[in-house]
Amino acid sequence: MGGLLELTVAQAAAKIAAGEVSAEEYFAAWMQAAAGDELNAYLWSVENHDDYQVVDGPLSGIPVAVKDIFCTEGSPTTAGSKILAGYRPPYTATAVEKLDAAGARVLGKTNMDEFAMGSSNENSAYGPVLNPWDRGRVPGGSSGGSAAAVAAGLAPCAIGTDTGGSIRQPASLCGIVGLKPTYGSISRYGMIAFASSLDQCGPLTRDVTDAALMLSALQGRDPCDSTSVGIEGGIVAPSREDLKGLRFGVPAELARDSFESGVRENFEATLGRIEELGGEIAEVALPSAEHGISAYYVLAPAEASSNLARYDGVRYGLRSGGDGDLIEMYEATRAEGFGTEVKRRIMLGTYALSSGYYEAYYGQAQKVRTRIAEDFAAAFAGVDFVVTPTSPSVAFGLGEKTADPLAMYLNDYCTVPIPLAGLPAISIPNGLAGGLPTGFQIAGPAFSENRILDTAHALEQAIGFDGSKARA
Ligand code: GLN
């Protein structure tokens, strides 16, 4: 069975389509793997597949680990929060339905930082996820369970969400591929909202080909999400092997000192590989990007404070405070149901939106956001892609940054500007540093997913990363 689990999604799907492997047998093998989760990657996983029905499609028979932020009809959906304990949604997120329609099946729901707020998965109400490369370290966040599951061989592929880096950063820390598509590529319907103007669904996979395969099934316009438009022309399988004629911009502002030495060295090595493959490296200016963190940590909490107002003990999950007064019940439910980081963000966001402060904080952050988008637009007039390390460090120790929210926020230094500008970016494994994975991020103009995937595919071959150690 081990051999079966070593196949990529594309390889397994081909074998299933050719009748060489049975879909039922493949799903059962993964169910068994998921049941052996020792990393706390899953909050819930499928226990029997008696009613398993094979649907013909490009993902026929493929099990998918789904971040617990996606509503799945009749099965637990907590968003990593105590306030949603016991909630079973009456409907399924469009992203999950699209995977189903392509033949895939939910294997389980993965652990995450509460309401996707975090970079280490330590903000989950259900305990942290452990990094399969070193169980004393974090897997990154907020899609930490999805990333750890794929890296550890507890799922062949997963979906997550990225608001400020939550797909790319855990992918980087776990040594897998994570793609955050252009805002609007994939429907957000049924995806529990954190910061609606930034949130995007995306795949976490072992390789770039699998990321393309999943994106192809996930993308598309959905009448239930008016911000979704899909990717015109769809997604094609990446095949590129060289980078001739392509220009890669390295931001001049990227203070290279703020990166760990191993991360920096691996980044430089891949810049060298780009040149060997015929690509050109150029410096680009993104003068406003360094304000990305400040703008993001005003805008995302502001949107969250509004989105999270719906958890009042009346409609979903937890209710505390007995039969007393209604306001008391709301307060008791929210005091008990939300964790520390979520409360911090609700307070920050409510403050930033309050009359008298709105212009100074929210209004100002929106202007910075526009500037960042303009910086990228100007950069893409001269280069095809902007590249950076994904995360400034390798996976850090559990508990190492929990006492210092600002240190935690700085993880997002390279990932946050991209969703602020609505752009797509991928993180691919870029070798180890001290035995732990590092990531290489490639960002492109809106809806350049096919070109990003093609380029990432060429680089992936050149880097030749071996993730099998984490699956051992
Ligand atoms: N780490 C960032 C945060 O805490 C990003 C989270 C995300 O992308 N959902 O908000």
Side-chain angles (χ1 to χ4, degrees):
M1 220 35 109
L4 210 48
L5 302 191
E6 277 304 300
L7 300 174
T8 65
V9 170
Q11 289 165 342
K15 284 195 188 291
I16 291 168
E20 289 167 38
V21 170
S22 101
E24 290 87 347
E25 192 190 331
Y26 185 69
F27 194 88
W30 280 109
M31 253 176 49
Q32 204 182 339
D37 172 23
E38 291 175 357
L39 305 173
N40 202 24
Y42 284 100
L43 295 177
W44 171 85
S45 66
V46 174
E47 274 159 19
N48 79 62
H49 70 315
D50 296 345
D51 57 354
Y52 191 93
Q53 278 179 358
V54 183
V55 172
D56 276 338
L59 294 174
S60 192
I62 303 297
V64 183
V66 172
K67 185 178 185 178
D68 207 27
I69 200 164
F70 292 92
C71 288
T72 43
E73 186 182 341
S75 51
T77 301
T78 65
S81 183
K82 189 176 169 191
I83 212 161
L84 280 175
Y87 175 57
R88 287 174 188 256
Y91 72 114
T92 296
T94 301
V96 176
E97 281 194 333
K98 293 203 72 143
L99 292 172
D100 275 353
R105 283 292 168 274
V106 174
L107 178 59
K109 302 292 290 291
T110 54
N111 202 346
M112 55 181 283
D113 283 300
E114 184 176 4
F115 289 107
M117 298 176 190
S119 308
S120 70
N121 223 110
E122 292 165 297
N123 296 336
S124 167
Y126 305 98
V129 177
L130 313 182
N131 189 312
W133 292 84
D134 176 347
R135 295 186 182 191
R137 293 175 189 264
V138 304
S142 65
S143 312
S146 288
V150 173
L154 306 173
C157 59
I159 55 172
T161 57
D162 192 312
T163 303
S166 279
I167 290 174
R168 293 161 287 154
Q169 187 257 14
S172 171
L173 269 46
C174 288
I176 61 166
V177 172
L179 173 67
K180 185 231 118 58
T182 308
Y183 187 78
S185 302
I186 302 174
S187 171
R188 290 181 294 110
Y189 182 70
M191 195 172 100
I192 295 172
F194 162 17
S196 309
S197 76
L198 298 157
D199 300 342
Q200 259 303 281
C201 164
L204 294 104
T205 54
R206 247 184 240 176
D207 72 8
V208 174
T209 300
D210 284 0
L213 197 56
M214 290 192 76
L215 179 61
S216 168
L218 288 163
Q219 67 85 24
R221 203 185 98 71
D222 175 10
C224 295
D225 170 7
S226 59
T227 66
S228 70
V229 290
I231 298 171
E232 222 183 293
I235 294 295
V236 292
S239 59
R240 193 163 178 140
E241 312 223 321
D242 69 69
L243 299 174
K244 288 194 190 91
L246 295 175
R247 282 168 66 83
F248 295 77
V250 178
E253 297 74 19
L254 203 76
R256 296 199 188 167
D257 309 340
S258 54
F259 296 96
E260 277 180 8
S261 61
V263 169
R264 194 179 60 235
E265 280 157 27
N266 290 356
F267 178 68
E268 308 272 342
T270 292
L271 295 183
R273 292 183 180 106
I274 289 176
E275 289 178 325
E276 278 164 30
L277 291 171
E280 210 181 303
I281 308 288
E283 199 173 85
V284 289
L286 296 173
S288 300
E290 61 175 315
H291 304 300
I293 297 262
S294 318
Y296 173 87
Y297 280 97
V298 172
L299 296 173
E303 293 188 28
S305 86
S306 160
N307 272 326
L308 270 54
R310 71 187 61 153
Y311 305 105
D312 53 10
V314 175
R315 285 165 288 189
Y316 321 92
L318 181 82
R319 176 178 301 178
S320 317
D323 303 323
D325 159 75
L326 183 65
I327 301 291
E328 271 170 35
M329 188 280 285
Y330 289 162
E331 288 176 354
T333 300
R334 289 168 69 84
E336 200 195 317
F338 288 136
T340 311
E341 182 63 22
V342 172
K343 286 179 185 161
R344 176 167 24 242
R345 302 230 187 159
I346 291 173
M347 286 191 282
L348 270 171
T350 306
Y351 181 79
L353 289 176
S354 54
S355 94
Y357 297 104
Y358 184 92
E359 254 320 304
Y361 293 104
Y362 185 75
Q364 188 67 15
Q366 287 287 36
K367 288 178 194 154
V368 173
R369 181 175 186 173
T370 302
R371 284 279 174 85
I372 292 174
E374 287 168 354
D375 279 3
F376 275 105
F380 289 133
V383 296
D384 296 283
F385 306 106
V386 169
V387 295
T388 68
T390 308
S391 169
S393 72
V394 295
F396 42 92
L398 287 158
E400 205 177 292
K401 296 189 183 177
T402 39
D404 184 353
L406 204 56
M408 193 68 94
Y409 297 170
L410 285 172
N411 267 289
D412 307 334
Y413 181 70
C414 291
T415 53
V416 139
I418 290 150
L420 284 173
L423 302 174
I426 198 167
S427 176
I428 59 170
N430 191 32
L432 301 176
L436 295 165
T438 67
F440 190 82
Q441 176 173 253
I442 309 168
F447 302 110
S448 64
E449 277 79 358
N450 279 312
R451 286 193 289 127
I452 289 179
L453 287 160
D454 241 353
T455 297
H457 177 266
L459 272 178
E460 174 181 59
Q461 314 305 309
I463 295 165
F465 182 78
D466 175 13
S468 62
K469 197 166 156 263
R471 300 195 288 274

